[in-house]
Amino acid sequence: MNNEILQTISSIFALIGVPATIAGFIYVGRKLQVLDTLAEDMGKVKHNLKVVTDYLTRYHLRFDPGNLKALSPISLTDQGNDFIKELGFDEVFEQNKNDFFNFIDSENPKFKYDVELSAIKSVFSLADRDYMSFLKIYLYNNPSRTINDTAPTLGIYVRDKYLAEHSEIKE
């Protein structure tokens, strides 16, 4: 009798368990499909955001001609180097170099021009970090300067430091 009851209970669980397991797999499969769709959509968003930031970095930069020489390539003037030191960016950069370099690396630069754009974007991107608070204070106290005309100067500094350590980028 006990064997018969156990067999009946086992049959009931088998009847309920198989459909429940299949339903569980279907449910999980749908969730994974949603995650795949989200990952695909985020890839598109990331690509489009990169296109927009590349455009803005290339065509909407203003820089202080006293800090940068518009030669080929753009380089820091003595005044630009002094500005970086007075601002304290050289020390902040050295203490947080990995953040700037990781940002540039995340953009997979192939050419020096790619490094330049990524270095300038890194300044914009990292501007909200605590270690960059000096920049907000400076910009607040110097209303004639903006992040738009300061980031290129700082970015060229970052570019030069990056290229000095990445000799594999030739052109």
Side-chain angles (χ1 to χ4, degrees):
M1 180 131 171
N2 283 342
N3 196 16
E4 202 175 291
I5 293 173
L6 286 174
Q7 210 171 19
T8 305
I9 291 172
S10 180
S11 297
I12 291 172
F13 277 117
L15 287 173
I16 293 173
V18 171
T21 302
I22 292 171
F25 284 140
I26 290 171
Y27 177 78
V28 169
R30 285 184 183 155
K31 294 299 178 188
L32 291 174
Q33 184 180 11
V34 168
L35 289 175
D36 287 343
T37 303
L38 283 173
E40 185 179 317
D41 290 345
M42 287 308 296
K44 290 175 185 175
V45 168
K46 184 178 177 182
H47 172 74
N48 289 336
L49 188 56
K50 182 174 178 356
V51 169
V52 170
T53 57
D54 285 350
Y55 174 81
L56 290 173
T57 303
R58 284 184 190 140
Y59 300 110
H60 290 280
L61 282 182
R62 292 180 291 148
F63 62 87
D64 184 343
N67 291 340
L68 296 171
K69 290 187 258 185
L71 302 174
S72 182
I74 293 174
S75 59
L76 292 170
T77 62
D78 290 339
Q79 181 181 337
N81 281 313
D82 291 344
F83 175 69
I84 285 170
K85 287 179 182 143
E86 289 169 19
L87 202 55
F89 182 71
D90 54 338
E91 292 175 20
V92 169
F93 172 79
E94 284 304 319
Q95 293 170 3
N96 302 282
K97 177 169 66 171
N98 288 339
D99 285 354
F100 290 94
F101 283 12
N102 288 338
F103 182 91
I104 295 169
D105 290 339
S106 75
E107 302 246 318
N108 300 314
K110 307 266 186 283
F111 302 99
K112 291 179 179 180
Y113 183 73
D114 299 333
V115 172
E116 183 175 303
L117 290 177
S118 295
I120 294 168
K121 284 194 288 186
S122 75
V123 174
F124 284 108
S125 180
L126 300 173
D128 284 331
R129 298 284 174 101
D130 287 342
Y131 56 79
M132 293 289 280
S133 61
F134 74 94
L135 184 58
K136 292 178 181 179
I137 294 166
Y138 173 80
L139 294 173
Y140 180 78
N141 290 318
N142 295 277
S144 65
R145 294 295 301 247
T146 67
I147 187 74
N148 292 331
D149 61 23
T150 304
T153 302
L154 304 180
I156 296 302
Y157 180 84
V158 172
R159 176 205 67 189
D160 292 346
K161 295 294 186 180
Y162 185 90
L163 289 175
E165 292 188 23
H166 291 83
S167 59
E168 72 277 6
I169 300 178
K170 304 277 185 220
E171 298 181 52

